Structure formats: C-alpha cells, structure tokens
Amino acid sequence: MHKEEGIIDAGDLKNAHEIRRFATSFLHRYHLFFLEIHYPNRFPPLRQGHFVNYAGRIAVLVVCSRFRYDKRDMKIGLSLGGGGARGYAHIGVLRALEEAQISVDLINGSSIGAIVGGAYALYGDANELEHIAAAQVKKISLNYSSIFSNARVNNSFLRNFLLHAACNVSSLRSSVYSHKRNLKALDFIFADHLFSDTVIPFSAAALDLISGTTISIKEGKMVDGILPSISIPGLFPPVQRDDFLLVDGGVLAEVPVRELREEGADFVIGVSLGPDDLVRTVSNGFSIVTYIDLLKGEALARGEITAADFSFTVQLPGFDMLRFEGYEEAIAEGYATAKRYLPQLERKLDEARSR
C-alpha cells in the first residue's frame, strides 16, 4: 500500500539511537529544550542519561501523534485530587496506568494534584517525577508542620487547625505564610515552562473568591498558574490573576472532574486521597460550626467525584500530609491501589469504547 505523505510508520525509526535522535530534533525545533542543558544544577535527576529516557518517551508521543487519528477514539482525562504530601501517591497511580498502557489525553488537578498533574503533563514519565520528588525533598524545606503542633493533620487540616488554634493566639498568628517557599518549590519543578510546553494538555483548578466559582487555569507560566491552586485559604494569601482572586481549587472541587469534562474529556478517571480523618467533635459551638462546614465539604467532594466515569481513593491512614519526605511510601500505596482497580477500569474503558 502506498503510504500517505507525512505519516510515520514504526519501521521508519529502526533503533533506539534513531528514536533518540528524532526526539532531540523535534524538541529543539519546537523550542522544548532539555532541562539537562538549561538547568543542570537544578535538575540533577535528569543527568546521567535520565534525559535520554525523557527524549525516548517524547519520541513515542510524537510518533503516535503523527499516525492517522481515529475519530472513534475517546479522550481519556485524569483528574487528581488534593491532600498535601499524600499527593505523591498520584505518581504511583500514573506508573500503574503507564504499565497498563492506558494513555491519558487530558490532565487536571487541585492543590497537590495540580502539581503532580502538571509535572506529568510536562515530563510524561512517572519515574522522572519520582526522581524530581527525591531531589526536591533533599534540596528544599517544605516543613510547615510547626503551625500544626496542636492539631491532628488530615485532608481537612485547616478547619481542624483553626478549631484548636482558636484558643492559642500565638499559634494562630504563625499560621499566615507568604508564598516564598511555595514559589521556590514550584520553580524547582517547572522553571520557566509554559502550559503550552506540556506534552499532554493540562489545567490547574482554583477557586475565584469574587465569583465563588471554580476556574481552570491553562495559559501562561506553569508556576504562576499552579500557585493559586495550592493557596490554602487562611494559610497562604489569595493570588490575584487578571480579574480573579484565587485560592486552592480543592475548596469546591477537591477532584475537579466536571472541569476536565468541560475541556473535552470523554472518559474521566478521578483519583482522590484519603482518609478524611478529621476529628468529628461537637463539644462546643465553634466545633459544631466547623463540623457543619466539614459536612458541606464532604457533600461537595462526593458530588464532584461521582461525576467521573471511574474513580477510586488511595487510602493512606496515619500518613502525615505534611511529611513530604515520606514520598516513597505514598508512591508505593498509590501504585498498589491503582493496580487493584485496573481490571475494573479496563472493563469500563472497553464498555465506553464499544458504545
């Protein structure tokens, strides 16, 4: 058969060396420069050959993108929820999806889900994300736990913290942080990359305090776009962006499934992090108000996650969501959980494709 002009066959790339050469040529042509070249000290995990693996994965994505597109193929979206350091579990989930050859066409996330989702959209490799996580933990202090010395940490930790801090004025004062460390951490991962640099379309969910609605950020610098999504109200200041005043997207959309569907996803996989181990106490007026707020938040989260075509929760009981050095444990649990759900997910995908 005569091959159409511009269509690449797998046989055109005869060996690994040629694939790497093709990837390098493509990346430079479109100005997606290797971090190894431009940030050798900031990204040590990409040294000693890791960037070659990155190039290889990009080559595969490029080659696949050049084949004829079948309109019957559905776009698979992955929506990642928040949960502090528990969010490293998302890396394990991504690794399991890679092994199952389930390709993701769109990604979004709230809070830590936005960080992991954005990094995967940029680098396209779960192993690379683990290397970066290890380097970040080693180089950057992300310890905010001193402000929670009197509170039990969980995925609704702000409300719980305020419950205890109400009788501890000095602790309450120390809860207000600038974005200095957050910006340093984001810059370590994303540097000057733009949303348009990602190999997978990505958006970060944030809540606009002015309109009271969740918005999706998908343009400009990734650092600037992801920062609002991790701006926990009361701990970090809101971020002004155009006419919006933005905070953590997890306030209204812990797993922003609906937002991803609006962006064109035909089948959405939602991944949340648990458990919600907030102390449910109604011992006084303040605790009752806090508990009612918790119930509202849980109802919103359930409504959002049930909008997914398939969803599951990675349970990390006893895992301190501020213990970022525990990334290996979280990744392992995320991987194990996703592997358990893969048979069900694959059946759902088959059913969706056959419609």
Side-chain angles (χ1 to χ4, degrees):
M1 292 178 61
H2 176 69
K3 184 176 69 174
E4 289 184 25
E5 184 177 356
I7 299 297
I8 296 177
D9 289 331
D12 292 341
L13 301 175
K14 297 181 177 62
N15 53 50
H17 174 72
E18 191 170 353
I19 288 176
R20 289 195 294 269
R21 206 157 43 80
F22 175 73
T24 304
S25 172
F26 175 86
L27 290 171
H28 279 284
R29 182 187 306 175
Y30 289 92
H31 308 293
L32 300 178
F33 302 119
F34 286 117
L35 295 176
E36 163 67 16
I37 296 172
H38 294 280
Y39 302 98
N41 297 321
R42 183 176 296 174
F43 286 90
L46 295 179
R47 305 187 67 167
Q48 300 176 353
H50 288 300
F51 81 100
V52 173
N53 294 332
Y54 175 57
R57 287 191 63 82
I58 295 297
V60 172
L61 290 170
V62 172
V63 171
C64 290
S65 71
R66 297 291 295 276
F67 284 111
R68 296 177 183 87
Y69 176 69
D70 185 352
K71 291 183 179 180
R72 293 173 300 175
D73 289 346
M74 62 183 181
K75 289 185 178 180
I76 299 175
L78 180 64
S79 188
L80 304 177
R86 292 173 178 172
Y88 285 126
H90 290 316
I91 299 176
V93 171
L94 289 163
R95 178 175 293 152
L97 294 177
E98 285 179 358
E99 291 180 0
Q101 298 183 347
I102 296 175
S103 299
V104 174
D105 302 296
L106 299 166
I107 303 179
N108 78 346
S110 289
S111 199
I112 188 69
I115 296 176
V116 177
Y120 190 76
L122 184 63
Y123 302 113
D125 188 338
N127 288 331
E128 202 63 70
L129 264 61
E130 183 168 1
H131 290 307
I132 293 173
Q136 186 178 56
V137 167
K138 183 178 180 181
K139 287 180 172 291
I140 299 177
S141 172
L142 295 173
N143 178 27
Y144 292 106
S145 61
S146 61
I147 66 171
F148 299 100
S149 58
N150 297 322
R152 184 178 175 187
V153 176
N154 49 75
N155 67 339
S156 299
F157 61 86
L158 177 60
R159 288 186 291 262
N160 192 36
F161 166 66
L162 290 174
L163 174 62
H164 292 269
C167 298
N168 187 340
V169 177
S170 61
S171 180
L172 185 60
R173 281 201 305 266
S174 67
S175 70
V176 180
Y177 280 92
S178 71
H179 282 300
K180 182 178 180 180
R181 273 187 286 185
N182 289 341
L183 285 169
K184 186 176 181 180
L186 291 176
D187 187 62
F188 185 91
I189 300 171
F190 301 105
D192 294 322
H193 280 288
L194 306 175
F195 279 82
S196 57
D197 292 337
T198 60
V199 294
I200 302 172
F202 163 74
S203 62
L207 169 65
D208 176 31
L209 293 177
I210 297 174
S211 66
T213 58
T214 300
I215 69 166
S216 295
I217 303 172
K218 47 191 173 184
E219 294 180 346
K221 290 184 62 176
M222 296 189 75
V223 169
D224 296 339
I226 294 174
L227 182 65
S229 190
I230 66 172
S231 299
I232 303 169
L235 292 184
F236 304 110
V239 176
Q240 184 78 45
R241 184 181 174 92
D242 300 325
D243 295 328
F244 303 111
L245 189 61
L246 304 173
V247 296
D248 192 329
V251 174
L252 290 184
E254 187 173 332
V255 185
V257 170
R258 291 187 176 90
E259 287 70 24
L260 193 57
R261 199 177 296 283
E262 289 173 1
E263 292 174 29
D266 301 308
F267 187 101
V268 178
I269 304 167
V271 183
S272 59
L273 304 169
D276 181 2
D277 50 6
L278 181 71
V279 178
R280 286 166 165 78
T281 176
V282 290
S283 58
N284 54 54
F286 186 80
S287 67
I288 292 173
V289 172
T290 303
Y291 184 56
I292 291 173
D293 187 47
L294 166 66
L295 294 177
K296 291 179 181 177
E298 287 183 337
L300 284 170
R302 282 195 303 272
E304 190 77 25
I305 197 70
T306 54
D309 298 282
F310 187 85
S311 64
F312 60 89
T313 300
V314 180
Q315 297 288 355
L316 291 158
F319 188 91
D320 187 341
M321 67 183 300
L322 298 174
R323 188 169 61 88
F324 287 88
E325 65 273 15
Y327 68 94
E328 290 177 308
E329 177 188 343
I331 291 173
E333 186 56 41
Y335 176 79
T337 301
K339 291 287 279 187
R340 289 196 300 271
Y341 280 98
L342 275 177
Q344 298 175 48
L345 172 58
E346 289 172 332
R347 283 197 298 272
K348 284 284 189 179
L349 286 168
D350 290 339
E351 291 171 5
R353 290 190 179 104
S354 64
R355 290 172 190 159

